[in-house]
């Protein structure tokens, strides 16, 4: 189903893990044909482990489960003299750690030196606990290494931690969604691109080497392709997005959806 919104689709946040993976791939595919000779764009992975604040809305890295009455896998010894086993204090059920994917543009002529890092933020980049601190460490590492940093934030809620410092952003410019571009050639300046919910997403620059022209990326094309392939149907739009929209935006979205999903099969 095509994106019924003029810009960002707030219903993607319910299925962010899949949406994030698609956004990364489609963004890389937009960038590759426009890269000058000697540069390449790769999808990299980092592992996020945050036990301080496992949000119930997203998959935890490790789940602690207490079950005193029915401990699976604990059996009496077979044969010989029976030996009483003490029950464990708890059972730890391990789950796959959350993989944080991002894009690196590297210069193959300079031993794959990282030119630009592009982050599409995930909940673990913005949640409390160690998530924010780890992400701030990464921000500093990227900039200290002489690379440009592009941060795309399509998530409502949580805490925003821009490189420039949130207190320097005027209150009336703190939209739910935004993009920040910090250039290696001017790290004292961060360009902030607003992404209001009711407006089409902007085209943004991807800085490269000082001798290269910027690549221009269409965020709207990126969003529309992700939504179309996300599996969202009219039935999913009958549920409220999470986190909830403001009353004004909720009324606007309801009116928009009532027109654009009319007649669409909700099955």
């Amino acid at each position: 189903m095509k994106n019924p919104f003029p810009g960002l689709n707030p219903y993607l946040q319910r299925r962010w893990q899949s949406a994030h993976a698609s956004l990364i791939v489609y963004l890389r595919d937009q960038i590759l044909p426009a890269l000058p000779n000697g540069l390449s764009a790769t999808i990299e992975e980092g592992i996020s482990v945050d036990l301080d604040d496992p949000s119930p809305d997203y998959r935890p890295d490790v789940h602690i489960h207490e079950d005193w009455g029915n401990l699976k896998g604990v059996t009496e010894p077979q044969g010989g003299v029976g030996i009483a086993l003490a029950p464990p204090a708890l059972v730890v059920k391990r789950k796959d750690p959350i993989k944080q994917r991002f894009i690196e543009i590297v210069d193959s002529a300079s031993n794959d030196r990282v030119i630009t890092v592009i982050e599409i933020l995930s909940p673990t980049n913005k949640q409390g606990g160690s998530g924010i601190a780890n992400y701030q460490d990464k921000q500093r590492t990227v900039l200290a290494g002489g690379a440009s940093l592009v941060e795309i934030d399509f998530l409502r809620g949580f805490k925003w931690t821009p490189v420039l410092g949130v207190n320097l952003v005027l209150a009336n410019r703190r939209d739910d969604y935004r993009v920040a571009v910090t250039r290696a050639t001017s790290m004292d300046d961060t360009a902030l691109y607003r992404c209001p919910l009711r407006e089409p997403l902007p085209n943004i620059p991807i800085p490269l080497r000082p001798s290269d022209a910027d690549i221009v990326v269409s965020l709207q094309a990126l969003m529309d392709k992700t939504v179309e392939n996300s599996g969202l149907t009219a039935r999913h739009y009958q549920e409220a997005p999470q986190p909830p929209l403001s009353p004004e935006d909720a009324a606007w979205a309801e009116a928009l959806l009532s027109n654009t999903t009319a007649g669409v099969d909700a099955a």
Side-chain angles (χ1 to χ4, degrees), residues 243-254:
L245 296 170
S246 69
E248 296 79 9
D249 283 340
W252 169 81
E254 183 177 355

Side-chain angles (χ1 to χ4, degrees), residues 17 47-49 59-62 93-99:
Q17 187 176 351
I47 300 297
S48 174
V49 178
R59 184 181 60 179
D61 302 311
V62 176
K93 294 186 176 180
R94 299 190 181 275
K95 295 190 177 182
D96 293 336
I98 297 175
K99 295 179 179 179

Side-chain angles (χ1 to χ4, degrees), residues 141-184:
T141 299
V142 169
L143 298 178
S148 298
L149 178 61
V150 178
E151 301 169 284
I152 301 173
D153 187 357
F154 286 162
L155 293 172
R156 285 178 302 112
F158 309 108
K159 184 179 179 180
W160 180 40
T161 56
V163 170
L164 70 165
V166 71
N167 292 332
L168 297 179
V169 181
L170 297 175
N172 63 353
R173 291 295 184 266
R174 299 179 192 176
D175 298 282
D176 285 333
Y177 313 105
R178 76 284 290 182
V179 176
V181 178
T182 307
R183 296 174 181 270

Side-chain angles (χ1 to χ4, degrees), residues 30-257:
Q30 261 201 61
I31 290 170
L32 277 176
L35 286 175
N37 291 336
L39 297 187
S40 61
T42 61
I43 297 174
E44 304 294 336
E45 286 186 351
I47 300 297
S48 174
V49 178
D50 183 3
L51 300 182
D52 298 326
D53 184 20
S55 169
D57 293 330
Y58 298 94
R59 184 181 60 179
D61 302 311
V62 176
H63 175 64
I64 307 299
H65 174 70
E66 240 178 343
D67 186 352
W68 297 99
N70 185 24
L71 292 173
K72 297 181 180 179
V74 178
T75 60
E76 293 293 331
Q78 300 298 315
V81 179
I83 301 175
L85 294 178
L90 50 84
V91 175
V92 178
K93 294 186 176 180
R94 299 190 181 275
K95 295 190 177 182
D96 293 336
I98 297 175
K99 295 179 179 179
Q100 298 293 332
R101 295 179 175 87
F102 55 95
I103 296 173
E104 282 187 353
I105 298 176
V106 300
D107 188 347
S108 58
S110 299
N111 296 320
D112 288 338
R113 181 172 68 88
V114 177
I115 302 299
T116 305
V117 173
I118 306 173
E119 291 275 359
I120 297 179
L121 299 190
S122 289
T124 49
N125 301 137
K126 301 179 70 178
Q127 288 179 159
S130 60
I132 291 176
N134 290 341
Y135 184 67
Q136 289 175 323
D137 286 342
K138 183 171 184 178
Q139 289 174 321
R140 289 188 287 266
T141 299
V142 169
L143 298 178
S148 298
L149 178 61
V150 178
E151 301 169 284
I152 301 173
D153 187 357
F154 286 162
L155 293 172
R156 285 178 302 112
F158 309 108
K159 184 179 179 180
W160 180 40
T161 56
V163 170
L164 70 165
V166 71
N167 292 332
L168 297 179
V169 181
L170 297 175
N172 63 353
R173 291 295 184 266
R174 299 179 192 176
D175 298 282
D176 285 333
Y177 313 105
R178 76 284 290 182
V179 176
V181 178
T182 307
R183 296 174 181 270
T185 55
S186 182
M187 292 188 182
D188 291 335
D189 300 320
T190 294
L192 185 65
Y193 296 84
R194 301 178 60 204
C195 303
L197 174 63
R198 305 189 193 191
E199 300 177 12
L201 291 169
N203 296 334
I204 63 165
I206 304 296
L208 304 175
R209 297 168 298 196
S211 59
D212 298 320
D214 292 344
I215 293 175
V216 178
V217 165
S218 170
L219 291 183
Q220 192 57 58
L222 181 68
M223 175 59 52
D224 291 344
K225 185 173 182 180
T226 301
V227 172
E228 189 167 352
N229 295 330
S230 68
L232 284 171
T233 66
R235 174 175 58 83
H236 296 105
Y237 292 116
Q238 294 173 4
E239 305 171 359
Q242 292 297 326
L245 296 170
S246 69
E248 296 79 9
D249 283 340
W252 169 81
E254 183 177 355
L256 181 68
L257 290 171

